[in-house]
Amino acid sequence: ETGVTQTPRHLVMGMTNKKSLKCEQHLGHNAMYWYKQSAKKPLELMFVYNFKEQTENNSVPSRFSPECPNSSHLFLHLHTLQPEDSALYLCASSQENYQPQHFGDGTRLSIL
Amino acid sequence: DAKTTQPPSMDCAEGRAANLPCNHSTISGNEYVYWYRQIHSQGPQYIIHGLKNNETNEMASLIITEDRKSSTLILPHATLRDTAVYYCIGRSNSGGSNYKLTFGKGTLLTVNP
């Protein structure tokens, strides 16, 4: 139990579907992150939120839309994804953005 | 962030110490050495970090050379559940834009019975 919970754990969707990934942290942290991990590739940072404000968008396509309504919750809204977007999407949080990050177990996303 | 170099894979016998090396010859003075691991089908797990002094916690020990160009993560009594990919990352703790974790390919540690 890492204190960071991601749902769903697995998601299969078509390219025209709209879905959302959810992340919740129970650690009282102020910073939250979305990462993408594709097969055979290192983790890639996608977005960073610090005190609910987005502070980093790592050139992510607009078909991925993050939302951070409060410091404990982070969403990733998905729309018209491509097959190459199939990957493990990981959420993380940290007390401040320069302190150790704690990860959830990810959502395994498959695009048909 | 400092570029780090790790062996792609290592084996260790169960119950023995696992010593995982990392080279970070370009690390700057304000960059910490962080270690994470990722067990199959799970997210990365923070293990330990240090600047120049050796560090120990309930999971592992971190030995950093005096010139800070390399370090070793030590799991004192490896178990089968320690089989994972271990990542060594150089990272600034000074805030600003240099806080990002940049994951490389890591070392796959296989603990054998």
Side-chain angles (χ1 to χ4, degrees), chain B residues 31-85:
Chain B
E31 285 185 314
Y32 286 68
V33 179
Y34 273 76
W35 283 85
Y36 281 77
R37 72 180 182 183
Q38 189 171 20
I39 296 170
H40 183 62
S41 298
Q42 297 182 20
Q45 177 187 24
Y46 165 75
I47 301 173
I48 198 167
H49 73 284
L51 185 62
K52 52 184 177 181
N53 297 322
N54 297 337
E55 302 288 343
T56 295
N57 62 21
E58 65 278 5
M59 289 183 67
S61 294
L62 175 60
I63 308 298
I64 303 173
T65 58
E66 192 169 340
D67 62 9
R68 301 211 328 120
K69 292 185 177 182
S70 66
S71 60
T72 301
L73 180 75
I74 301 172
L75 307 179
H77 306 285
T79 71
L80 299 179
R81 288 178 294 181
D82 292 321
T83 293
V85 178

Side-chain angles (χ1 to χ4, degrees), chain A residues 9 33 35 37 42-43 45 48 55-56 58 88 90 94 96-106, chain B residues 34 36 38 41-46 49 87 91-97 99-105:
Chain A
R9 288 297 310 276
Y33 313 79
Y35 287 84
Q37 188 172 32
L43 274 79
L45 180 64
V48 180
T55 56
E56 182 95 18
N58 203 23
L88 180 68
L90 291 156
S94 62
E96 305 292 341
N97 64 5
Y98 54 87
Q99 293 183 309
Q101 294 176 20
H102 298 261
F103 287 79
D105 284 333
Chain B
Y34 273 76
Y36 281 77
Q38 189 171 20
S41 298
Q42 297 182 20
Q45 177 187 24
Y46 165 75
H49 73 284
Y87 299 97
R91 181 204 193 201
S92 171
N93 267 23
S94 61
S97 63
Y99 58 87
K100 289 183 282 189
L101 288 174
T102 303
F103 287 82
K105 295 183 179 180

